[in-house]
Amino acid sequence: MKKFWMISMLLIAALFVVSCGDGEDGGEGNAQCTIQGAYRCSGDYLQKCDQEEWKNFENCAESGKTCNAETGKCESNSTEPTTDPTTEPTTEPTTDPTTDPTTEPTTPSQDAMQACTEIYQCFSQCEDNDCANACVNNGDPDGQEVFMTMYNCWADNCANATDFTSCAKENCLDETEACGLSFGKDGDTNYGSPYGNAQITLSSSYVLGEGESPAQNTVTMGSFISGTIGNSQIGNAAAAQSYYMTQLSTQNGQTYLQSLQLYTDAQGNPMSPIVVVVTDVNAAVGNAEYSLVSQASVGQIFMGDVTIDAQGYLNIPCYDAFAEGTLSIQGIQATQGGNFTLSGTIDLYSPANYMGYGDIQQDLGASACSPK
């Protein structure tokens, strides 16, 4: 199943890098954080960012579970699915499992529903029939029955549908929900889908090391993004200056390149929007997919309003858009003093009306800014 993912950002405060850090003792308030509602693991503790401090949310060891910062939950060490089953299904029935239930479907038990969800998670990643059949045949028998009832409904009604999600919602709602899946909330039509598009021309000749403060030779004056969002142009025409930089950032044990586009007034205060490009350091030169949902994505691009609090921390209270599409990486040397060059055109979607998924604000824990 495709799953919405969102990298918790390390943002810049007054041109100095702010790092949340990871505590070892599970104590509350042992480090500051910038993203309200974000999660992290500290030992056995699941911690949540609250009022700029990491606070203990749950001791996973007490329930014999393992902390998972990505899902914000204490999860079982068994084969419990890690993908949130409330995310809408998008896999079209292009593969053909041969298992066929012989009994009429009834309302499944909770265990059968979970087993069906696990089969779907496996099945949705397959690219051939052998893989699809293995996912079904290796699943729990009760889950097989529920899954095949859903799959057969999809295949019978929606195999040739132009909009698979709408077709499945109309014709196979009960069968789909019996597998623990849902279609989410309808999108807000005040936001187009796509909501706009952007031209990216990003060229950072010096990659800042993690924790390294920006200097004149590490900041590129100007803007790496142009285009439209809603009925507005991207950028800030009233800004006294605009500039961008790229910095190494390690989050949840994985290192990324984080490129920030900032606009400021004459006093140096940040002005909206802020634009963030997050790229895996292992990405290669060539075409690169940026997406919230694709397994092949090397990162994500998003933009939104920006505010600065009393401590000088930048915050994003709402998001204008997330990008979906393919750009070209012309150069990537993901080390301190390295370089990063990215270009191309990409579509933009509001979290209030996202690429056929509808309103995903609750899934992301991120609010959409007012329509442009």
Side-chain angles (χ1 to χ4, degrees):
M1 176 186 294
K2 293 180 180 177
K3 177 182 178 182
F4 299 115
W5 62 285
M6 188 171 182
I7 297 171
S8 59
M9 299 172 296
L10 301 182
L11 294 181
I12 291 179
L15 292 185
F16 291 95
V17 175
V18 178
S19 176
C20 292
D22 286 322
E24 298 295 334
D25 59 1
E28 295 189 27
N30 59 339
Q32 290 183 312
C33 53
T34 58
I35 307 300
Q36 177 71 15
Y39 291 96
R40 76 168 186 178
C41 295
S42 181
D44 293 324
Y45 284 87
L46 176 66
Q47 294 185 333
K48 187 175 183 179
C49 182
D50 182 24
Q51 302 299 313
E52 300 177 7
E53 287 189 350
W54 289 112
K55 296 184 179 180
N56 290 342
F57 186 71
E58 185 176 352
N59 184 350
C60 298
E62 292 181 351
S63 56
K65 296 183 178 181
T66 300
C67 179
N68 188 327
E70 182 180 354
T71 61
K73 298 177 181 178
C74 292
E75 296 189 342
S76 172
N77 294 316
S78 64
T79 56
E80 179 179 345
T82 56
T83 301
D84 186 350
T86 62
T87 305
E88 84 174 53
T90 58
T91 300
E92 299 185 24
T94 55
T95 52
D96 185 20
T98 56
T99 301
D100 187 12
T102 56
T103 56
E104 290 297 320
T106 58
T107 302
S109 66
Q110 190 65 36
D111 288 343
M113 180 182 292
Q114 179 171 308
C116 181
T117 301
E118 292 175 358
I119 292 172
Y120 178 80
Q121 290 168 8
C122 176
F123 172 86
S124 64
Q125 307 302 317
C126 290
E127 297 180 358
D128 57 58
N129 289 339
D130 289 342
C131 173
N133 284 322
C135 289
V136 177
N137 292 331
N138 293 333
D140 178 86
D142 291 338
Q144 290 176 359
E145 181 177 330
V146 178
F147 176 84
M148 287 307 303
T149 299
M150 174 183 70
Y151 176 86
N152 288 335
C153 183
W154 290 356
D156 291 343
N157 294 281
C158 306
N160 298 315
T162 302
D163 186 343
F164 170 77
T165 299
S166 296
C167 176
K169 185 175 182 179
E170 179 179 354
N171 295 283
C172 305
L173 180 62
D174 291 342
E175 291 85 350
T176 303
E177 290 183 342
C179 193
L181 311 178
S182 79
F183 293 93
K185 298 179 180 178
D186 291 337
D188 185 340
T189 55
N190 290 309
Y191 302 84
S193 184
Y195 194 30
N197 64 80
Q199 293 78 50
I200 304 290
T201 307
L202 190 163
S203 182
S204 291
S205 59
Y206 184 96
V207 173
L208 289 156
E210 190 159 12
E212 182 182 2
S213 297
Q216 186 173 1
N217 68 317
T218 65
V219 172
T220 303
M221 302 308 297
S223 176
F224 67 64
I225 187 168
S226 61
T228 60
I229 182 165
N231 296 316
S232 301
Q233 295 292 315
I234 297 173
N236 196 316
Q241 66 177 7
S242 63
Y243 56 92
Y244 63 88
M245 65 196 74
T246 298
Q247 186 154 31
L248 292 166
S249 170
T250 300
Q251 304 161 48
N252 298 323
Q254 188 170 0
T255 303
Y256 298 91
L257 289 176
Q258 182 172 260
S259 304
L260 299 177
Q261 173 69 58
L262 296 169
Y263 302 89
T264 62
D265 61 19
Q267 289 72 45
N269 298 312
M271 302 177 70
S272 299
I274 186 171
V275 184
V276 184
V277 178
V278 182
T279 306
D280 192 324
V281 295
N282 296 313
V285 169
N287 290 337
E289 187 173 1
Y290 286 81
S291 171
L292 279 183
V293 295
S294 173
Q295 295 283 334
S297 174
V298 302
Q300 58 185 230
I301 301 172
F302 50 93
M303 57 188 293
D305 285 355
V306 60
T307 61
I308 187 167
D309 61 21
Q311 287 74 42
Y313 290 90
L314 295 177
N315 296 286
I316 302 181
C318 65
Y319 292 81
D320 287 309
F322 294 86
E324 285 288 336
T326 301
L327 296 175
S328 175
I329 297 177
Q330 284 90 37
I332 179 168
Q333 185 181 1
T335 58
Q336 184 173 1
N339 63 80
F340 180 53
T341 306
L342 181 71
S343 66
T345 301
I346 201 161
D347 287 331
L348 301 172
Y349 294 85
S350 168
N353 193 10
Y354 184 75
M355 201 180 70
Y357 290 82
D359 187 342
I360 64 168
Q361 294 177 84
Q362 184 174 354
D363 296 279
L364 289 177
S367 298
C369 299
S370 300
K372 300 291 187 184

